Amino acid sequence: MDCCAPSSIVEPAKINCPSCGEKGKSVPLITLKSLLKASFLETIEPDKPYYFCPTSSCNTVYFSGTHSQTFEEDTLKVPVFQKNSNLDIPVCYCFDWTRDRLIQAVSHNQQPIEHIKDQVQSNRCGCEVNNPQGACCLGNVTAYLRSLK
Ligand SMILES: [Zn+2]
């Protein structure tokens, strides 16, 4: 493989958010393509890497690796779990597990994490196009369930 070919340049996995200074994680382009509202989607630069900021107190959801662009929560078609503490916000976007639904399931002695894992293992999840963080929700679900105890 030619290490100098533009397509093989490895982008850093983490870059600091220009708004809060915390580390943001690289996010697949397909996530922005599926979740940004049209007028904002029309401004992205597909040859540049984008990053997701998980800081709850920071308004920026996505930013470009060069810090030339930021996208706030209202530029997305869906609310963002990390930025919004309401009970009706999804923790698991693929299978619509909101905070409220998780609370209900736990109070009825159900095992939502096992249910979600089964779906993931059956290759039914689509985190890249459903979840604003562009990655699997299981870590968030686990952390949220732990916070309820
Ligand atoms: Zn931030």
Side-chain angles (χ1 to χ4, degrees):
M1 196 167 73
D2 179 6
C3 66
C4 297
S7 60
S8 65
I9 291 173
V10 177
E11 303 293 350
K14 290 184 174 174
I15 282 190
N16 291 342
C17 169
S19 306
C20 69
E22 298 293 325
K23 287 237 186 303
K25 220 176 158 200
S26 93
V27 67
L29 192 62
I30 191 70
T31 309
L32 278 76
K33 285 184 175 178
S34 69
L35 296 180
L36 285 179
K37 293 174 183 169
S39 59
F40 297 98
L41 181 59
E42 288 175 358
T43 70
I44 67 167
E45 299 177 60
D47 56 337
K48 303 244 170 72
Y50 284 90
Y51 295 81
F52 174 82
C53 171
T55 308
S56 59
S57 58
C58 177
N59 288 330
T60 294
V61 177
Y62 299 123
F63 59 92
S64 60
T66 58
H67 287 180
S68 58
Q69 279 186 309
T70 58
F71 296 99
E72 303 194 340
E73 193 187 10
D74 62 1
T75 68
L76 278 77
K77 298 173 195 165
V78 296
V80 180
F81 166 74
Q82 284 87 345
K83 313 287 183 184
N84 192 322
S85 58
N86 289 349
L87 288 179
D88 61 351
I89 301 301
V91 185
C92 166
Y93 283 78
C94 298
F95 305 107
D96 200 24
W97 283 92
T98 59
R99 287 191 179 93
D100 197 36
R101 189 176 167 205
L102 287 170
I103 292 169
Q104 296 298 326
V106 168
S107 73
H108 290 95
N109 290 319
Q110 293 165 353
Q111 307 289 334
I113 199 97
E114 298 307 318
H115 178 84
I116 296 169
K117 267 186 194 160
D118 283 348
Q119 303 301 322
V120 171
Q121 278 162 8
S122 302
N123 194 24
R124 295 188 182 113
C125 63
C127 308
E128 286 190 335
V129 293
N130 292 318
N131 190 328
Q133 73 184 17
C136 184
C137 69
L138 277 175
N140 297 340
V141 176
T142 306
Y144 183 66
L145 290 175
R146 203 176 292 141
S147 77
L148 296 176
K149 284 175 186 161

